[in-house]
Amino acid sequence: MKRIIAVFAASVLAAGAAGCGGGAGGGSGNRLSIATGGTTGVYYVYGGGLAKQLTANIANTQATASVTSASIENIKLLATGKADIGFSQTDTAADAVNGTGSFTAKQPVKAIARIYDNYAHVVVAPGVEAAKVADLKGKKVSLGPPNSGTQVVARRMLEAAGLNPDTDISKQQLSINESVQAVKDGTIDAFFWVGGLPTAGVVDLATSKPDMKMLDTADALAGMQTKYGKQYVGLDVDLSVYKLSGTIKTVGVANVLLVPDSMSDQLAYDITRTLFEKKAELTAVHPEAAKLDPALGQQVEPVALHPGAARYFKEKG
């Protein structure tokens, strides 16, 4: 019911935005819906902070963040006019603009900016024997919710480790919130989550279950790069962000902010400007916003930059 309400609200907000001509400062104003992710993930926290800054810094604008299943759903909401800004991983965005993977046709979206990198988390419940991804064979594992970027990465990672995600594990499709609760309840052995550091849901789990562990997934990287390209990179995770000890290597993928390609150039420019000019305020909401950098922000391939965003980056040199 919460999901239905959130999507309905996003639809209503988007309809309001469509009627305002898409220009910042228009007489009837802009109503912007930001499609994010689960409530204990970084997208939702970051999106809430961005909504506040857009409302405060673009004339006659009211922005709100909506709970979603994240990347795939966000892009579909943008393409159907039910959201105005959406968070996405670049691997899912690449599928969207190429009409592959979860998308049967090329999606009409463009990028505002690359914002920070996501880290693949493979969280294993206390007492479960697993040292690498291949050890999940035969276990009860959540791959993330349907229509999420987490599920895209999870399936590709399992395949790179030599496992069939549909037959070699007892598959579940839980949100980050549901996955954390399932580990606490002892109903799953492990779960995948792809997000920034730290992710509140994983912090919560590590606090209540300090004997949980996160797997090193570096062995899956080469296979993922061979099949899907260099959008997947190797990243280190200092586990102290979860009050655990040690460092692991994992698979990383960049995040981008997307908008419909029909958005007006002026509004896209104003959103991009606000994003970077209010970096300090956004960092106070979530530390991943400290990664905002105009030079990195332009690196959104294979998605095209929206012309309004491109104008902002050109002005910044």
Side-chain angles (χ1 to χ4, degrees), residues 161-248:
L163 300 182
N164 183 321
D166 296 312
T167 59
D168 285 336
I169 61 170
S170 178
K171 180 182 68 177
Q172 298 198 35
Q173 302 182 89
L174 306 178
S175 70
I176 177 63
N177 312 40
E178 294 166 334
S179 294
V180 168
Q181 191 59 48
V183 169
K184 291 180 179 180
D185 294 342
T187 57
I188 62 172
D189 298 312
F191 68 84
F192 284 82
W193 164 252
V194 184
L197 299 177
T199 290
V202 181
V203 172
D204 172 45
L205 181 61
T207 301
S208 62
K209 299 283 187 182
D211 48 345
M212 61 154 264
K213 59 186 174 184
M214 282 177 53
L215 299 186
D216 188 303
T217 67
D219 57 331
L221 178 62
M224 294 174 75
Q225 288 179 329
T226 297
K227 188 168 184 178
Y228 299 105
K230 299 297 183 181
Q231 59 193 326
Y232 294 115
V233 298
L235 295 174
D236 293 339
V237 180
D238 180 347
L239 294 177
S240 66
V241 298
Y242 295 119
K243 295 183 171 58
L244 303 174
S245 60
T247 300
I248 61 168

Side-chain angles (χ1 to χ4, degrees), residues 2-7 10 33-40 44 64-70 73-74 77 175 177:
K2 289 181 179 177
R3 172 65 51 74
I4 293 171
I5 292 170
V7 172
S33 175
I34 305 175
T36 62
T39 56
T40 60
Y44 182 74
T64 56
S66 299
V67 177
T68 70
S69 291
E73 182 180 357
N74 292 351
L77 290 170
S175 70
N177 312 40

Side-chain angles (χ1 to χ4, degrees), residues 5-22:
I5 292 170
V7 172
F8 175 74
S11 178
V12 171
L13 290 170
C20 75

Side-chain angles (χ1 to χ4, degrees), residues 80-143:
T80 55
K82 295 176 181 176
D84 306 286
I85 303 169
F87 287 74
S88 176
Q89 295 171 184
T90 53
D91 54 350
T92 306
D95 286 349
V97 297
N98 290 317
T100 57
S102 302
F103 304 94
T104 56
K106 295 181 179 181
Q107 302 298 297
V109 295
K110 285 191 165 55
I112 288 291
R114 174 175 171 175
I115 48 178
Y116 67 95
D117 290 337
N118 265 357
Y119 296 72
H121 299 55
V122 184
V123 177
V124 178
V128 173
E129 295 291 329
K132 57 185 186 296
V133 176
D135 295 336
L136 297 178
K137 185 172 183 178
K139 294 181 168 57
K140 292 177 288 186
V141 183
S142 172
L143 305 187

Side-chain angles (χ1 to χ4, degrees), residues 45-63:
V45 178
Y46 202 134
L50 179 59
K52 181 178 179 180
Q53 294 306 319
L54 295 177
T55 299
N57 293 285
I58 302 179
N60 302 317
T61 293
Q62 181 66 46

